[in-house]
């Protein structure tokens, strides 16, 4: 078993611990605060999901940004709190943004896997999830655990199970047979908070397997992206299905993959496992994805020239 595959199987236990620790975390955004959530790559997609969950729960306006695209004009006064996700604790764009908004007087919180990194002093408060850290380059368990942690801080969410219940679904997702392995193209869809999960599923397939993948909000699929759907291609939906979507996929010959009784976060595990399986089927090593490193640390402005 690859290192990546082994780490994927540990997610149910990680989520249960996340729920326990979230109950003791006092620096989470408070109801009514205006919040921005930032990250890079996978962490950005988890930020999108948390932002949608928080605002959908009526706890306050919540925006999600790639750290590099945070609107600098909002650095002063636009947000009560900025939450940053960074597994490595060293990501250049995240550290620079934390310094910017903190200097402007905005409260900052970070979630990281490594307590021996610069983010520990870059943010006012830090949740260290080092027990969910990974040796893998490709993020799996840290990302979902960070989202489970933030989700748990929101308390009971209408229409969504508790994090421990999601972990029960995850127990099945780490062992159940995988869906199709021979598709030539994959489109991942999601509504609301599940759109961030769709983005992440597509990224995992690109990172680990080099697969042709795309991702969209579910209701946008019929506004153009359905043109790519055909026999031998898969449309995979996370969460609630828009009326008639499955029929539209089948009508043009595509395969519709949907697990409506599974918590969408647990369903993401299936996509993670699939990415690893596809990588191995092509003779690749999922622990050594092409062109990727564990953390992106950029040169300073002076050293770039």
């Amino acid at each position: 078993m690859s290192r990546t595959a082994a780490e994927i199987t540990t997610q149910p236990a990680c989520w249960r611990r996340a729920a326990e620790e979230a109950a003791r975390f006092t620096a989470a955004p408070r109801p009514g605060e205006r919040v921005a959530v930032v990250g890079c790559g996978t962490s950005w997609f988890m930020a999108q999901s948390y932002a949608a969950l928080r605002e959908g729960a009526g706890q306050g306006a919540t925006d999600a940004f790639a750290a590099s695209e945070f609107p600098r004009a909002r650095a002063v006064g636009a947000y009560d709190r900025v939450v940053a996700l960074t597994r490595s604790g060293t990501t250049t764009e995240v550290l620079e943004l934390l310094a910017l908004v903190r200097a402007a007087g905005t409260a900052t919180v970070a979630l990281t896997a490594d307590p021996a990194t610069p983010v520990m002093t870059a943010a006012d408060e830090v949740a260290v999830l080092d027990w969910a850290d990974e040796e893998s380059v490709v993020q799996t368990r840290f990302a979902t655990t960070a989202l489970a942690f933030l989700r748990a801080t929101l308390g009971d969410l209408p229409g969504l199970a508790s994090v421990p219940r999601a972990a029960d679904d995850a127990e099945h997702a780490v062992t159940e047979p995988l869906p199709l392995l021979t598709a030539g193209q994959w489109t991942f869809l999601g509504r609301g908070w599940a759109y961030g999960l769709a983005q992440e599923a597509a990224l995992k397939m690109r990172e680990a397997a080099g697969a042709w993948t795309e991702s969209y909000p579910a209701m946008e699929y019929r506004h153009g992206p359905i043109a790519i759907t055909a026999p031998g291609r898969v449309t995979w939906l996370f969460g609630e299905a828009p009326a008639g979507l499955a029929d539209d996929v089948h009508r043009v010959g595509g395969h519709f993959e949907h697990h409506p009784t599974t918590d969408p976060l647990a369903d993401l595990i299936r996509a993670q496992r699939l990415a690893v399986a596809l990588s191995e089927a092509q003779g690749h090593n999922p622990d050594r994805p092409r062109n990727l490193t564990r953390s992106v640390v950029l040169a300073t402005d002076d050293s770039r020239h």
Side-chain angles (χ1 to χ4, degrees):
M1 180 181 292
S2 68
R3 181 182 301 115
T4 306
E7 289 171 347
I8 286 171
T9 66
T10 66
Q11 288 174 100
C14 287
W15 298 359
R16 293 188 180 101
R17 180 166 177 179
E20 294 171 358
E21 299 210 0
R24 298 188 291 270
F25 189 62
T26 60
R30 301 179 180 92
E33 287 186 332
R34 184 172 175 85
V35 174
V37 197
V38 301
C40 297
T42 288
S43 293
W44 174 34
F45 300 143
M46 298 299 100
Q48 290 177 344
S49 288
Y50 168 64
L53 282 172
R54 183 175 185 271
E55 186 156 333
Q59 296 200 16
T62 315
D63 297 323
F65 300 101
S68 60
E69 297 300 316
F70 183 91
R72 269 32 183 188
R74 299 188 194 178
V76 180
Y79 296 102
D80 300 303
R81 195 176 302 262
V82 170
V83 179
L85 282 66
T86 169
R87 176 181 67 170
S88 69
T90 61
T91 305
T92 301
E93 300 97 309
V94 171
L95 296 175
E96 290 179 350
L97 178 59
L98 286 172
L100 176 68
V101 297
R102 195 179 186 189
T106 301
T108 55
V109 180
L111 276 67
T112 189
D114 191 342
T117 56
V119 76
M120 297 300 294
T121 55
D124 298 317
E125 302 283 349
V126 182
V128 178
L129 311 180
D130 51 353
W131 36 270
D133 198 2
E134 299 155 320
E135 295 181 43
S136 301
V137 172
V138 173
Q139 282 199 59
T140 56
R141 74 178 179 193
F142 175 77
T144 62
T145 299
L147 179 55
F149 180 94
L150 290 170
R151 174 174 160 179
T153 66
L154 298 173
D156 294 334
L157 297 171
L160 196 62
S162 66
V163 170
R165 288 289 301 274
D168 292 341
D169 282 356
E171 294 282 5
H172 297 290
V174 297
T175 58
E176 289 176 344
L178 289 172
L180 295 173
L181 293 175
T182 56
Q185 187 275 338
W186 305 77
T187 298
F188 295 94
L189 307 174
R191 298 191 73 179
W193 78 283
Y195 173 51
L197 305 182
Q199 295 263 66
E200 172 57 11
L203 180 63
K204 285 287 92 67
M205 296 280 277
R206 288 191 290 269
E207 287 180 327
W212 175 14
T213 62
E214 301 179 12
S215 53
Y216 303 95
M219 291 298 290
E220 285 297 305
Y221 175 71
R222 288 172 284 204
H223 293 274
I226 193 171
I228 204 66
T229 305
R233 297 176 181 176
V234 171
T235 300
W236 185 324
L237 176 72
F238 292 93
E240 180 184 356
L245 182 64
D247 292 338
D248 288 338
V249 173
H250 294 146
R251 176 176 52 81
V252 294
H255 173 83
F256 187 68
E257 189 74 20
H258 185 216
H259 306 100
T261 62
T262 299
D263 189 284
L265 188 58
D267 199 22
L268 178 59
I269 291 177
R270 292 189 178 96
Q272 293 172 342
R273 291 177 57 214
L274 181 61
V276 170
L278 288 172
S279 175
E280 293 172 341
Q282 297 170 49
H284 302 318
N285 182 351
D287 294 338
R288 295 183 179 181
R290 186 175 61 181
N291 303 332
L292 298 179
T293 57
R294 177 177 160 83
S295 174
V296 177
V297 179
L298 303 177
T300 63
D301 288 339
D302 289 341
S303 63
R304 291 175 191 167
H305 301 286

